[in-house]
Amino acid sequence: MNKWLITLTTTLVVLVVAAFALHREQRVERSVDIAAPPEKVWSVLTEFAAYPEWNPFMREASGTPKEGEKLRIVLNSGDSEMTFTPTVLAAEPGKELRWLGRVFVPGLLDGEHSFTLTPIPGGVRLTQSETFSGALVPFFGGSIDVGDDFAAMNRALRDRVESTANIAR
């Protein structure tokens, strides 16, 4: 029994050391151009109560988009659903919303998510990105590639903003 326990412990230690040695970041980013001013995009992006009406990726969101505040986000990616409570790092109306989410403890699997609004002729470019970091990144690899989900949300946000912009005219 002691030999088995030593082997198991050694294996776990090797895996943890390997995970930290392989520690790396993985970034996912998608952009979309929206024919509306940044303030209108910001308004729809931060109206969390309306997310179930249009958002295919972040099915629910609540909280206050203000630096230091906690949000509650429910993600829907394929057949899985995940709820997490990130902390808002930046909330600059019409420019940037950024938060940090963590799995269990800092450094295990962290995700810094951002929405950046950049003025362009005729509207704004919305860039949604996430940088994943931590010891578990090498083990999750492709399962944290949410680029298709970002693209779907970006298109849905664009459609929502542009359709409400046309109604307001």
Side-chain angles (χ1 to χ4, degrees):
M1 186 69 150
N2 279 343
K3 188 175 185 178
W4 179 84
L5 187 57
I6 291 171
T7 301
L8 177 63
T9 303
T10 302
T11 302
L12 289 173
V13 168
V14 167
L15 286 174
V16 168
V17 168
F20 280 101
L22 294 172
H23 177 266
R24 67 174 210 260
E25 290 186 349
Q26 181 172 325
R27 184 170 174 83
V28 179
E29 180 178 293
R30 297 295 184 275
S31 297
V32 67
D33 293 347
I34 303 173
E39 298 75 22
K40 178 64 178 169
V41 177
W42 178 265
S43 174
V44 173
L45 178 65
T46 58
E47 186 184 359
F48 297 145
Y51 273 27
E53 298 172 17
W54 65 268
N55 196 328
F57 179 48
M58 295 183 188
R59 297 300 301 144
E60 296 176 34
S62 59
T64 304
K66 182 179 174 190
E67 188 175 332
E69 294 290 321
K70 286 271 193 198
L71 303 177
R72 181 180 178 277
I73 309 286
V74 179
L75 299 179
N76 179 21
S77 182
D79 294 334
S80 65
E81 189 173 277
M82 181 177 112
T83 301
F84 67 105
T85 54
T87 301
V88 177
L89 301 175
E92 195 173 343
K95 295 185 181 194
E96 178 189 35
L97 176 60
R98 187 167 33 97
W99 64 64
L100 178 64
R102 293 195 154 117
V103 174
F104 301 119
V105 296
L108 197 56
L109 182 60
D110 301 337
E112 186 170 314
H113 195 101
S114 69
F115 297 92
T116 305
L117 305 174
T118 306
I120 59 171
V124 66
R125 174 164 296 136
L126 168 84
T127 300
Q128 181 176 185
S129 66
E130 183 137 9
T131 301
F132 294 97
S133 62
L136 294 181
V137 169
F139 299 107
F140 282 90
S143 67
I144 57 177
D145 181 2
V146 289
D148 290 345
D149 296 312
F150 284 9
M153 178 180 169
N154 290 355
R155 286 189 306 270
L157 176 63
R158 177 199 61 209
D159 294 348
R160 175 111 173 158
V161 169
E162 290 179 356
S163 69
T164 58
N166 289 334
I167 290 170
R169 289 183 186 167

